[in-house]
Amino acid sequence: MSNASLPLPSSDNADAAASLREALLGADFTADGLLELLGAPAYTALARSETVPALRATRGDGTLAALVRLFLLQESVARARVADVLPVDALLESGWLTEREGELRATVDVRPYGGPSGEDWFIVSDLGCAVGGAGGIGKHEEGVVLGVGGASTTLAGITVRTPVASALDLGTGSGIQALHAAQHATRVTATDLNPRALRFTRLTLALSGAPQADLREGSLYGPVADETYDLIVSNPPFVISPGARLTYRDGGMGGDDLCRSLVQEAGEYLNEGGYAHFLANWQHVDGEEWQDRLRSWVPRDCDAWIVQREVQDITQYAELWLRDAGDHHTDPGQYAARYDAWLDEFEARGTRAVGFGWITLRKTAAAEPTVTVEEWPHPVEQPLGETVRGFFERQEYLRTHDDAALLAAHFKLADEVVQEQVGLPGAEDPEHVVLRQHRGMRRATKVDTVGAGFAGVCDGSLSAGRILDAIAQLVGEDPVLLRDRTPEQIRLLVRQGFLLPVGE
C-alpha cells in the first residue's frame, strides 16, 4: 500500500493527540532529546534522509530509542517496549498506530521540531517523509505529504513575526508555516490543493498543542475569495518541470507561471502594511534579464525585496529533482527518458538556468513603491524576520526623506558592524575601507574615507550634517561640496542596514 493511500489518524480526536503529546514530552521525544540520544552526526544525517546512523544509535533498550524507531525511522517496535509510556490502546483506536502479533507500527511520521522560543512542536507527515533530503522513501508517490525540509525552515526564518490579526498559509503541506503563524496571528487560514495535506496540518497543530487553523481545500487564492490578510506565507510547489507529476513539488503550470501568479495576485489579498513571503523558482531566459522578469511580477501597490540565493544550469536542475523523486533508482531507460523530457521543456521555453530565492512583498500606499532585486548567495544568519522588517522600514524612511532631511537626521551604526582596512603592507593609507556586518545578511560594502569616518562616529547624538561639517574641517574640504556628495553614500549605508535612523 502506498503512503498516499494509507489511512490517517483521526484528526477529530483531540484527546488522543493530547495524550500522545504528553507521552512524547514525558519521554523527552523532543528536538533536544533526539540530539542528545543520537549525537550530532546521526541527527544531521537525518536531514539528508540517511537513517543508518540513527538506527545504529537506537539499538539499545531505552524508551526514547524505541519511540525514535517507531515514529521517525519506520521500524516496528514490540508493544511491551512502549506500553508503559504510550496510551497504546487509545492510539490504536484513533489510528496513530497499528498492531500485528504484538508489534506496533506508526501510520505517520512524527518529527520533533523546536519552535523559535523553545517550544516543543511535532511535525506530522507521511511515512519516510519526516526527514529532509532527496530521494526519501515514498517521495515519488503522487499526493504524498512531506515533513520538515530546508525550504520549510528557510521560509519560517525569513517571515516577519509581528503580532497580526490574520495570516494565510498557501499550500500548507504538513502545516509548518501555519504552526509558526499560530503563535502571533489571531486567525490562521491554511489552504492546499491536496486534501490529505489539510488532514496532516490538523494533526501537526493538534500534536503541537497549537490552536487549529481554518483549513480550506483549493488552488492558489481560490479558497479565500475576497478576504484579505496581514500576513501571507507560501512554500509552493515551485519546481519547474514537464507536467504535474508530483503534487508536493510540481505546480502544474508552465515554466514559472505558478510562482508568478502567486506573487502578482498577492497585493489583492494583503491589508495595508501587510507582508507576503514566498519561496520561488524562476527561469533565466535567453534575451531577458532575470531581474527584469522578477520586477514584472511585483504588484503595483507593493514594495518588494527579491533575493536570488542560488542559480543552477538546466542539467543540474533536472538532475536535482530527478534524484528527489528517486528516479535515479529506476530503470536507466526510464530515467533517461524523463531527463530528456526536462531538457525538452527547457529548450522549448528558451530557459538556460533556474534561480531560487525569496520574494517578500509589503503592501504600501506609496505613489512609487520600491522594488529591490539582488543576488546574495553568501551565508546569512537565520532567523531573518527582524532583518526583513527593518529593510522595509528603512526603504520607507528613505522614500520620505530628501537629501536635506537626511542631513538633518541622526543615525547610529548598527550592532556588530566592523571596519576593515585593505591595502598593501606598510602603506600609509588603505586602498579602500570595508564595512562588514556580522549579523543578519552579513553584508560587506566599500566606503571612502569620509564614509568610514562618518559611520564610525554615528552614535545618534549629532545630525549627519554636523558630522560632515566636522569631517570637512578635519580634512580641509569645502563643507558645502561634502554635504552635496555624501547623501548618496548615506542612503546606501541606510538601505543596506549599516546605519539606522534614530529619534523618529
Side-chain angles (χ1 to χ4, degrees):
M1 183 180 293
S2 70
N3 275 350
S5 61
L6 282 172
L8 297 181
S10 171
S11 57
D12 297 324
N13 192 331
D15 290 340
S19 62
L20 176 56
R21 173 177 172 79
E22 182 178 356
L24 295 178
L25 293 177
D28 204 21
F29 187 75
T30 64
D32 289 341
L34 260 64
L35 180 60
E36 183 175 350
L37 173 70
L38 303 178
Y43 188 78
T44 55
L46 284 176
R48 304 189 299 270
S49 288
E50 297 292 347
T51 58
V52 171
L55 287 168
R56 292 174 60 86
T58 55
R59 289 182 296 191
D61 296 329
T63 300
L64 180 56
L67 293 177
V68 171
R69 283 183 165 250
L70 181 62
F71 287 112
L72 197 57
L73 300 177
Q74 293 184 248
E75 296 293 306
S76 60
V77 172
R79 179 181 180 129
R81 288 192 61 184
V82 294
D84 292 338
V85 178
L86 295 178
V88 174
D89 290 337
L91 295 178
L92 288 169
E93 182 180 352
S94 57
W96 289 90
L97 300 176
T98 61
E99 183 176 21
R100 183 176 181 181
E101 298 179 353
E103 294 285 316
L104 301 174
R105 294 192 73 96
T107 59
V108 291
D109 266 321
V110 176
R111 176 174 176 172
Y113 180 71
S117 299
E119 301 95 342
D120 288 315
W121 292 339
F122 300 96
I123 309 300
V124 187
S125 63
D126 266 313
L127 290 171
C129 299
V131 293
I137 300 172
K139 286 189 181 180
H140 60 282
E141 297 171 1
E142 173 64 25
V144 74
V145 178
L146 304 190
V148 181
S152 305
T153 55
T154 294
L155 180 60
I158 67 172
T159 300
V160 175
R161 296 295 176 193
T162 53
V164 294
S166 56
L168 170 63
D169 177 15
L170 279 175
T172 186
S174 54
I176 301 163
Q177 309 307 324
L179 178 57
H180 277 277
Q183 311 310 304
H184 63 104
T186 303
R187 174 174 61 89
V188 177
T189 301
T191 71
D192 206 291
L193 183 64
N194 182 3
R196 187 175 177 84
L198 298 177
R199 294 190 62 188
F200 271 112
T201 293
R202 187 178 295 278
L203 294 171
T204 289
L205 294 172
L207 193 57
S208 298
Q212 278 299 329
D214 177 6
L215 304 178
R216 304 184 191 180
E217 182 180 344
S219 178
L220 302 179
Y221 296 100
V224 298
D226 298 326
E227 298 172 48
T228 58
Y229 298 85
D230 302 311
L231 173 68
I232 298 173
V233 292
S234 184
N235 175 19
F238 53 67
V239 176
I240 300 171
S241 58
R245 177 178 161 218
L246 300 175
T247 303
Y248 74 87
R249 72 171 198 193
D250 301 325
M253 295 185 182
D256 51 18
D257 283 355
L258 182 135
C259 292
R260 176 185 55 77
S261 296
L262 277 174
V263 175
Q264 283 185 335
E265 297 174 22
E268 301 175 30
Y269 300 92
L270 276 177
N271 293 325
E272 188 71 24
Y275 287 93
H277 302 274
F278 305 96
L279 297 187
N281 276 179
W282 45 80
Q283 298 170 120
H284 286 224
V285 179
D286 289 330
E288 177 187 46
E289 294 295 330
W290 67 270
Q291 296 94 333
D292 292 338
R293 184 181 192 86
L294 290 172
R295 286 190 185 96
S296 73
W297 292 9
V298 178
R300 294 181 180 180
D301 54 0
C302 290
D303 290 329
W305 184 19
I306 301 172
V307 182
Q308 180 167 273
R309 295 288 290 159
E310 184 179 0
V311 182
Q312 291 183 315
D313 68 48
I314 56 175
T315 59
Q316 293 173 312
Y317 188 81
E319 290 163 13
L320 168 68
W321 294 108
L322 287 166
R323 288 195 302 271
D324 174 84
D327 290 329
H328 57 313
H329 294 313
T330 63
D331 173 78
Q334 185 181 48
Y335 174 82
R338 285 180 170 161
Y339 197 153
D340 213 30
W342 283 73
L343 298 184
D344 284 344
E345 174 77 6
F346 288 133
E347 183 178 341
R349 296 182 177 276
T351 304
R352 51 184 169 79
V354 178
F356 168 80
W358 322 321
I359 299 176
T360 299
L361 308 176
R362 184 174 186 268
K363 185 76 171 282
T364 178
E368 296 184 11
T370 301
V371 178
T372 301
V373 184
E374 62 176 318
E375 187 165 18
W376 191 254
H378 312 294
V380 299
E381 183 186 52
Q382 286 274 32
L384 278 169
E386 278 301 296
T387 298
V388 173
R389 184 173 67 87
F391 176 88
F392 282 92
E393 289 179 349
R394 294 192 305 274
Q395 308 320 300
E396 179 67 22
Y397 176 88
L398 292 172
R399 181 164 51 215
T400 56
H401 285 69
D402 60 17
D403 286 356
L406 211 62
L407 291 173
H410 295 236
F411 301 94
K412 68 175 181 178
L413 191 65
D415 293 337
E416 298 196 36
V417 173
V418 299
Q419 175 180 303
E420 301 173 359
Q421 298 190 23
V422 181
L424 294 174
E428 183 175 346
D429 297 313
E431 293 179 10
H432 59 264
V433 178
V434 174
L435 298 181
R436 187 179 301 278
Q437 300 169 347
H438 283 267
R439 303 293 300 273
M441 293 294 286
R442 296 179 175 172
R443 296 185 186 276
T445 190
K446 289 183 182 180
V447 293
D448 60 20
T449 53
V450 171
F454 179 86
V457 298
C458 278
D459 62 2
S461 61
L462 296 175
S463 70
R466 289 189 62 186
I467 293 174
L468 290 177
D469 290 344
I471 292 175
Q473 185 176 9
L474 184 65
V475 300
E477 188 169 342
D478 185 331
V480 175
L481 294 178
L482 193 60
R483 279 172 171 258
D484 284 345
R485 69 177 175 86
T486 306
E488 182 178 353
Q489 191 166 193
I490 296 175
R491 287 185 182 279
L492 174 66
L493 294 177
V494 172
R495 184 177 298 112
Q496 295 189 344
F498 290 93
L499 292 179
L500 307 178
V502 298
E504 294 193 20

